[in-house]
């Protein structure tokens, strides 16, 4: 675990520190220029029909005792290394989903589980611990350096040796809890700005913000919402990238607008710069708090700390929520908010027992330090380009199956299908050939690999997808 002292040390660490072995170097960024798609993986090699008695007994025990809210294939994962995982039958899989965009540094990374676990596991928030403040400072510093939350790129720490400031962080344990926190903050700000009726919330079709009642109320999927109604009142639903009607959607009584800059579960749909700017402007007009849920698309998945760092400050939110990759699989979430609204949250207005624990924050600090190292970012950007080039070939080879455009940015990518039955099949067939990918929305296959993925992994994942698409095209 690296301890970073002053801000100048932090700057040195971020800008000049020789890269640790966080990211593998790959030799060539030249795209596989095959004239034809790969058909090497036509045969299903990972079919889970024949399990040993040991595996069968784990599956039986799980089925008998675990709440049946997940539809899972009949195998049991036992261990992993980097982008690969193995099951209890010894089958090896390429995890090109990174535990749903979580394992940014891959599996079983040396150094991720901190020595901190043997020192101080939990303190509660009744007392200070060293790491919560350090991780919060790192998040704010990186946001100011790379741009985000209203800070233009390069708005670095004001002075060396001083605390960074300019924003605040609240730590939670998951993404849905981070969004709950953000919505609560917006409600309180709304009441202070516009009185007791300024409580309306705006979200968008295709959004996924979590499963707790508040987050679920803005997750506009009837499959998730309907069984649990009634949900929060006063939620209005708009359409991503639709400029028309923004004035009626975001009203004087709106306190919060929540949006993913790139929708993950909803189908890898990116919000445009023009639309985010209009949304920001409208929020300012009515005094609504703009929340960007970057739980899936943030923390370097698009090559910068936030997906919205690619846009100028007039497209930025008041609050960013994060979770998934922050501690590479150790549970943590966070709300990052502008100082201008932070004052509303006084002692006792919000809290958590576990959030901001020394272990979660020490691990988060370690992970974020490595993800943000310049060389890591450069290598990631190179692999992003390679993945994009390979994926762009697929609609050309399979125009009858695939939509023309590859969705998303960086290492959050979606393949759109013309037939909504196909994505689920492709995910299953890829798994039977040893590669994990995910569905997204009604019509997409989602690729959210570890951020230190290498060229061989991209080649394997895309070769398998090509083989699967080939089989489907022959039907
Ligand atoms: C964009 C987004 N927001 C919120 C969540 C909920 O996070 P969690 O499952 O950690 O509660 C998810 C989870 O997939 C997500 O992708």
């Amino acid at each position: 675990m690296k301890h970073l002292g002053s801000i100048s040390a932090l700057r040195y660490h971020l800008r000049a520190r020789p890269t640790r072995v966080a990211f593998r170097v790959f030799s060539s960024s030249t795209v596989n220029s095959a004239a034809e798609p790969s058909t090497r993986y036509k045969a299903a090699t990972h079919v889970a029909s024949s399990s040993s008695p040991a595996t069968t007994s784990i599956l039986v025990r799980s089925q008998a005792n675990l709440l049946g809210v997940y539809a899972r294939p009949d195998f049991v994962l036992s261990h992993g290394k980097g982008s690969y995982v193995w099951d209890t039958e010894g089958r090896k899989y390429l995890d090109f989903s990174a535990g749903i965009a979580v394992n940014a540094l891959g599996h079983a990374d040396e150094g991720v589980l901190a020595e901190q676990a043997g020192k101080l596991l939990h303190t509660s928030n009744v007392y200070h611990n060293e790491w919560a403040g350090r991780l919060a400072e790192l998040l704010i510093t990186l946001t100011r350096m790379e741009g985000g939350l209203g800070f233009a790129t390069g708005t670095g720490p004001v002075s060396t040796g001083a605390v960074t400031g300019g924003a605040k962080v609240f730590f939670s344990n998951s993404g849905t809890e981070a969004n709950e926190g953000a919505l609560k903050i917006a409600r309180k700000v709304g009441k202070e700005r516009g009185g007791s009726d300024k409580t309306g919330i705006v979200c968008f079709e295709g959004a996924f913000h979590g499963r707790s009642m508040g987050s679920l109320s803005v997750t506009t999927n009837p499959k998730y919402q309907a069984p649990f109604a009634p949900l929060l009142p006063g939620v209005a639903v708009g359409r991503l990238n639709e400029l028309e009607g923004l004035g009626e959607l975001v009203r004087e009584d709106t306190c919060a607008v929540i949006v993913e800059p790139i929708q993950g579960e909803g189908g890898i749909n990116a919000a445009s710069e023009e639309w985010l700017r209009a949304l920001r402007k409208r929020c300012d007009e009515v005094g609504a708090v703009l929340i960007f849920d970057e739980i899936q698309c943030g923390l370097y998945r698009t090559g910068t700390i936030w997906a919205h760092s690619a846009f100028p400050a007039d497209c930025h939110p008041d609050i960013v929520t994060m979770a998934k990759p922050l501690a590479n699989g150790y549970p943590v979430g966070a709300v990052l908010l502008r100082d201008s609204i932070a004052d509303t949250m006084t002692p006792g207005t919000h809290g958590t027992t576990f959030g901001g624990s020394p272990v979660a924050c020490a691990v988060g600090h370690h992970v974020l330090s490595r993800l943000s190292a310049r060389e890591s970012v450069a290598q990631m950007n190179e692999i992003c380009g390679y993945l994009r080039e390979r994926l762009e070939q697929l609609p050309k080879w399979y125009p009858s199956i695939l939509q023309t455009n590859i969705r998303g940015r960086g290492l959050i990518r979606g393949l759109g299908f013309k037939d909504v039955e196909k994505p689920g099949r492709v995910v299953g067939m890829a798994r039977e050939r040893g590669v994990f990918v995910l569905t997204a929305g009604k019509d997409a296959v989602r690729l959210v690999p570890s951020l230190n993925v290498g060229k061989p992994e991209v080649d394997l994942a895309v070769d398998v997808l090509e083989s699967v698409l080939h089989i489907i095209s022959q039907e």
Side-chain angles (χ1 to χ4, degrees), residues 230-419:
L231 301 170
L232 278 187
V235 174
V237 183
R239 299 184 77 169
L240 200 72
N241 292 331
E242 198 165 281
L243 285 165
E244 209 184 300
L246 264 190
E248 292 82 60
L249 182 70
V250 182
R251 309 184 319 193
E252 289 294 335
D253 64 357
T254 303
C255 73
V257 175
I258 182 164
V259 62
E260 296 155 86
I262 303 176
Q263 288 184 339
E265 308 286 324
I268 318 296
N269 306 310
S272 72
E273 179 177 334
E274 184 194 16
W275 183 75
L276 289 176
R277 181 173 292 110
L279 200 57
R280 172 75 267 172
K281 185 165 172 282
R282 184 62 189 150
C283 285
D284 287 341
E285 281 164 7
V286 300
V289 172
L290 182 58
I291 303 165
F292 282 3
D293 175 343
E294 294 231 12
I295 287 162
Q296 189 154 162
C297 63
L299 295 169
Y300 293 95
R301 189 152 285 285
T302 61
T304 42
I305 181 153
W306 308 118
H308 75 268
S309 301
F311 302 133
D314 63 351
C315 306
H316 290 184
D318 301 292
I319 297 182
V320 188
T321 56
M322 71 203 84
K324 290 176 178 285
L326 184 55
N328 207 50
Y330 194 91
V332 66
V335 187
L336 171 67
L337 59 155
R338 293 186 187 193
D339 263 354
S340 56
I341 56 169
D343 284 351
T344 193
M345 300 305 282
T346 49
T349 49
H350 194 48
T352 162
T353 300
F354 291 121
S357 82
V359 171
C361 293
V363 177
H365 192 279
H366 177 88
V367 171
L368 193 58
S369 300
R370 284 173 56 186
L371 292 179
S372 59
R374 249 191 351 176
E375 210 173 308
S376 309
V377 170
Q379 287 173 24
M380 195 197 128
N381 283 332
E382 203 173 341
I383 205 75
C384 289
Y386 183 68
L387 176 65
R388 178 178 43 76
E389 286 174 51
R390 283 221 54 186
L391 291 178
E392 278 172 353
Q393 307 244 36
L394 301 186
K396 293 176 194 151
W397 280 324
Y398 301 107
S400 62
I401 303 176
L402 293 175
Q403 296 168 13
T404 314
N405 292 326
I406 303 301
R407 301 184 195 170
R409 281 194 277 137
L411 289 179
I412 176 165
R413 288 294 188 176
L415 285 176
F417 284 72
K418 292 186 170 166
D419 172 2

Side-chain angles (χ1 to χ4, degrees), residues 100 174-177 179 208-210 260 265 293 295-296 323-324:
I100 320 188
S174 66
T176 195
E177 274 179 76
N179 285 334
F208 186 91
H209 297 296
E260 296 155 86
E265 308 286 324
D293 175 343
I295 287 162
Q296 189 154 162
K324 290 176 178 285

Side-chain angles (χ1 to χ4, degrees), residues 71-90:
R72 296 186 258 222
D74 284 342
F75 59 84
V76 178
L77 294 179
S78 66
H79 63 285
K81 189 71 198 156
S83 284
Y84 296 91
V85 286
W86 284 260
D87 70 13
T88 47
E89 301 296 314

